[in-house]
Amino acid sequence: MRHTISMLVENRFGVLSRVAGLFSGRGYNIESLSVGETIDSKVSLMTIVTTGDDKIIEQITKQLNKLIDVIKVVDLTEVDHVEREMILIKVSPRQADKAEVLRLAEIFRGRVVDSSPKTYTIEITGDEKKIAAFVELMKPFGIKEFVRTGKIAIAREGTRKT
Amino acid sequence: MKISGAEIVIECLKREDVRHIFGYPGGVVLNIFDILYDNSDIQVILTRHEQGAVHAADGYARATGRPGIALVTSGPGATNTVTGIATAYMDSIPIVVFSGQVPTKLIGNDAFQEADIVGITRPCTKHNFLVKDVNDLARTIREAFYIATSGRPGPVLIDLPKDVTGDVTTFKWPEEVRLRSYNPKYEGNRWMIKQAALSIRKAKKAVIIAGGGVIHSNASRELKELAEFTEIPVIMTLMGLGAFPGTHRLSLGMPGMHGAYCTNKAIQESDLLVAVGIRFDDRVTGRIADFAPHAKIIHIDIDPTSIKKNVGADIPIVGDAKRVLKVLVEMLKEEGKTQWQAVRRSWLKQIEAWRKEHPLGYVYSDTVIKPQYVVEKIYELTKGDAIISTEVGQNQMWTAQFYKFERPRTLLTSGGLGTMGYGFPAAMGAQVARPDMTVIDIAGDGSIQMNIQELATCVVNRLPVKVAILNNRYLGMVRQWQELFYNERYSYSHLDVVPDFVKLAEAYGAAGFRATKPSEVEEVLRAGLAVKDRPVLMDFIVDWKEKVFPMVPAGAAIDEMIFGEEAEKGKGKKKLRAVK
């Protein structure tokens, strides 16, 4: 099963390779990873999406907790949370389809962040399903390339463990 | 007053009560070695190889419980420590390794003798540091010692660029260490311990399995109390040998691949396993699916990742073995009297019957020296009052089977990583820590050659380490596997030329003895043990066909054992298969 693991780590050099090394050394899989500073500049937040059965996920969270630079590990899959990802997608629709592409982008609350005579680059933010749906919709129009940020997630306030 | 980084390093070591460093100098650590030149508080033992230095620090730590220290230079000096660090990591041994590094400005430039040792040792240290500013030095060293020795102990490496040890600053000793991201949990959950007590009360066929964690937490007394109070027999993993007296009526010795039949049977038939400070290594469990099928498992360990990693736990207790066992015994005693002896009588009788069915043994010979005989003789002559180290392979398993370890910290062996070449330098480190003790490395002719250069270190420092070489001119355990599982195709396991160890010892200035007949064994051991001013090599020319039995083939359940007689007659052979 897929799990979104959120962790607070000391903002020091080498922390990312400790975490990444733990996953590769023990044969765990990282599907996506994002890192950023938190309100306290000495602390970073990492969001990792990984898959595994309960036993593996238990080991992953325990092993992460064991790393000296890791302050706190939360498996967000176990709590009610909000997750977001951003995609920048470059499409090259035919002249006749341009309006349709723009309309779809609007429906998805996307923004055109760059345009050229032959392409639009559209920014979409949302959860995984929304991003996947938009990519699917763009396919017939000709996707040139896209980049994704990896997931970030935060627990909803005042929720209990499900 | 401002002092240099190098002086800070030494000042911190003094405050950590370090008295010995195992080291090897080189370009970028000369700042530190220069301070050590006229320092009388700390003695440097100059090894002949950096691997020897780290194993020595490890042996020092195992023998005393205090952290062992190694100091090496950058690049090759640092990379030579990796095997030693990985060995300590697998067995949870507190050591602190200081490596020199090229000046901070040159890091990343492929400078002369530059290696990213922090990157290289990241997966085999408990934690490591690169110090980039002399102002961080004292705090970093304090944290390193704290991390190495607390919780589940382990090796820590500190990488010191040359300019950092050269820079000056005001020395400030942090009185307290606090890491918000590292808080080992020592006290076990009381409710869980209560459940454990209830299970022990209900169980009929209980066994305790004690591991290295019992030794690390100095919990032998509590373990003995638990075993004697509840009449539960005690099995010890290789790392746990000595945690409970090997001659005790309740001792069942080592389990697993080369465990005794009664020991493995006791696990397989038990209804309750009390596992303390063990991580259920595959050499202990055999095929996991068939391990202790009827047992409820209580697992006490300070490292949460050890619990439910290989084997499930019905009652997991995260905490320090000593404290948890203490509470457990108190709870059991509070509950009032139980006729434990009556409860356990039939179980202990059953185990005794298994012991008689397939006792641990070997066939003695008058004409050729049996390696097990040498181990037995060593035990007899030392009466168990010695520190024994081993190399890896047959020598290690025969030692585990035939030497009765009475006290903790008397066996030094690379259990997890299985490092050949470990035993001799580890014995050297232990001898430095315990000049009063007899220290003996039980070695093979293969392993001893992996760090034999340390003979010079022992000679110079007048360390009377004894080495008993069980010389069969083979990589014996490899040969054993090839005989049993690879149709006797002895691919590259025959050593052909083995040096004349007696002459070699003499060339180094050590003492050398040889026994070629069983009748000479005791004489040679007595002569060797009598030497007090230099190291001793004792070369025992042993039966090269001898194998370690019983044996559980890799991938089999631990009660699917093969015994010596069967294998010799060839009747067991058809059943043998190498799974992995």
Side-chain angles (χ1 to χ4, degrees), chain B residues 49 51 391 419-422 425 444-453 475:
Chain B
H49 192 299
Q51 187 187 350
E391 304 291 340
T419 308
M420 288 173 70
Y422 166 81
D445 49 306
S447 332
I448 190 61
Q449 293 187 71
M450 283 205 180
N451 270 316
I452 196 144
Q453 75 286 344
L475 301 175

Side-chain angles (χ1 to χ4, degrees), chain A residues 18-85:
Chain A
R18 282 183 209 282
V19 172
L22 189 147
F23 276 79
S24 61
R26 293 188 180 269
Y28 308 142
N29 180 34
I30 298 182
E31 285 188 13
S32 90
L33 179 147
S34 73
V35 195
E37 259 187 23
T38 62
I39 223 166
D40 175 354
S41 64
K42 287 180 180 157
V43 175
S44 297
L45 191 128
M46 284 191 194
T47 311
I48 293 179
V49 179
T50 184
T51 46
D53 58 25
D54 289 352
K55 196 180 157 194
I56 288 174
I57 298 295
E58 182 178 337
Q59 269 296 313
I60 290 176
T61 50
K62 281 173 167 180
Q63 294 283 357
L64 287 169
N65 260 314
K66 190 171 157 182
L67 292 176
I68 305 287
D69 283 335
V70 171
I71 302 166
K72 193 181 175 193
V73 180
V74 180
D75 184 354
L76 285 174
T77 318
E78 292 174 357
V79 298
D80 196 7
H81 65 282
V82 185
E83 53 183 58
R84 288 292 178 270
E85 196 177 338

Side-chain angles (χ1 to χ4, degrees), chain B residues 268-284:
Chain B
Q268 294 302 78
E269 299 296 326
S270 65
D271 61 3
L272 179 71
L273 272 188
V274 186
V276 193
I278 88 165
R279 59 188 175 82
F280 290 107
D281 180 270
D282 55 279
R283 288 304 195 252
V284 166

Side-chain angles (χ1 to χ4, degrees), chain A residues 10 13-14 17-18 40 42-43 55 58-59 62-63 66-71, chain B residues 122 126-128 130 132 147 152 179-182 303-305 307-310:
Chain A
E10 296 288 352
F13 61 85
S17 50
R18 282 183 209 282
D40 175 354
K42 287 180 180 157
V43 175
K55 196 180 157 194
E58 182 178 337
Q59 269 296 313
K62 281 173 167 180
Q63 294 283 357
K66 190 171 157 182
L67 292 176
I68 305 287
D69 283 335
V70 171
I71 302 166
Chain B
R122 200 170 281 135
K126 185 170 172 187
H127 197 58
N128 59 17
L130 167 64
K132 284 182 156 174
I147 290 168
R152 177 178 178 178
L179 294 162
R180 62 176 159 186
S181 54
Y182 174 69
D303 180 359
T305 67
I307 293 173
K308 295 189 199 170
K309 183 174 67 181
N310 299 329

Side-chain angles (χ1 to χ4, degrees), chain B residues 121-429:
Chain B
T121 59
R122 200 170 281 135
C124 62
T125 49
K126 185 170 172 187
H127 197 58
N128 59 17
F129 299 93
L130 167 64
V131 184
K132 284 182 156 174
D133 182 342
V134 70
N135 293 303
D136 296 334
L137 193 49
R139 184 182 48 77
T140 304
I141 295 173
R142 191 95 167 92
E143 286 178 7
F145 274 81
Y146 172 61
I147 290 168
T149 54
S150 58
R152 177 178 178 178
V156 176
L157 177 134
I158 306 177
D159 203 20
L160 299 169
K162 187 171 189 184
D163 52 327
V164 171
T165 53
D167 285 350
V168 293
T169 190
T170 313
F171 176 67
K172 256 191 287 171
W173 173 248
E175 285 302 332
E176 218 190 358
V177 219
R178 191 166 286 166
L179 294 162
R180 62 176 159 186
S181 54
Y182 174 69
N183 298 296
K185 189 169 172 282
Y186 292 96
E187 304 295 341
N189 179 304
R190 284 191 75 89
W191 188 82
M192 279 293 188
I193 301 176
K194 187 84 201 163
Q195 301 311 303
L198 291 173
S199 300
I200 288 173
R201 194 161 285 280
K202 271 190 232 155
K204 298 229 157 34
K205 300 186 282 182
V207 284
I208 294 169
I209 307 189
V214 175
I215 294 174
H216 299 319
S217 85
N218 298 315
S220 288
R221 211 182 60 198
E222 289 74 10
L223 175 71
K224 195 163 170 225
E225 229 185 317
L226 174 69
E228 288 179 344
F229 182 67
T230 57
E231 283 284 301
I232 301 180
V234 180
I235 293 169
M236 284 161 279
T237 67
L238 181 62
M239 298 310 302
L241 288 173
F244 186 78
T247 52
H248 197 285
R249 67 188 168 85
L250 289 170
S251 169
L252 292 184
M254 182 180 73
M257 186 170 270
H258 294 295
Y261 176 71
C262 65
T263 314
N264 285 0
K265 265 311 241 194
I267 293 174
Q268 294 302 78
E269 299 296 326
S270 65
D271 61 3
L272 179 71
L273 272 188
V274 186
V276 193
I278 88 165
R279 59 188 175 82
F280 290 107
D281 180 270
D282 55 279
R283 288 304 195 252
V284 166
T285 62
R287 188 166 64 237
I288 291 274
D290 295 314
F291 177 76
H294 318 293
K296 187 174 206 179
I297 296 179
I298 299 170
H299 193 174
I300 302 165
D301 202 285
I302 197 154
D303 180 359
T305 67
S306 286
I307 293 173
K308 295 189 199 170
K309 183 174 67 181
N310 299 329
V311 167
D314 301 286
I315 304 178
I317 303 174
V318 177
D320 174 54
K322 190 183 183 77
R323 300 195 200 183
V324 173
L325 290 180
K326 192 162 177 275
V327 176
L328 180 60
V329 172
E330 279 166 14
M331 283 181 179
L332 283 163
K333 285 187 174 169
E334 273 166 23
E335 283 172 20
K337 277 192 183 163
T338 300
Q339 298 301 320
W340 291 108
Q341 287 187 331
V343 172
R344 303 271 182 252
R345 192 167 294 135
S346 66
W347 173 231
L348 292 174
K349 244 174 90 182
Q350 170 67 72
I351 292 172
E352 205 42 49
W354 287 324
R355 195 198 296 273
K356 284 190 182 126
E357 198 177 329
H358 290 287
L360 208 53
Y362 64 97
V363 182
Y364 176 78
S365 159
D366 277 333
T367 49
V368 57
I369 302 174
K370 294 288 179 174
Q372 299 96 324
Y373 176 69
V374 178
V375 176
E376 278 188 337
K377 273 285 163 200
I378 293 173
Y379 174 70
E380 208 181 292
L381 293 178
T382 57
K383 298 179 189 71
D385 187 21
I387 294 174
I388 304 291
S389 73
T390 76
E391 304 291 340
V392 165
Q394 291 183 320
N395 59 78
Q396 183 182 34
M397 290 299 104
W398 284 321
T399 304
Q401 290 179 332
F402 293 98
Y403 194 97
K404 304 269 176 274
F405 293 92
E406 286 298 292
R407 281 177 291 132
R409 304 197 180 283
T410 53
L411 170 63
L412 322 173
T413 193
S414 171
L417 197 66
T419 308
M420 288 173 70
Y422 166 81
F424 180 42
M428 176 172 84

Side-chain angles (χ1 to χ4, degrees), chain B residues 61-81:
Chain B
R62 289 190 209 226
T64 60
R66 293 154 39 82
I69 314 299
L71 170 62
V72 301
T73 193
S74 63
T79 55
N80 274 344
T81 65

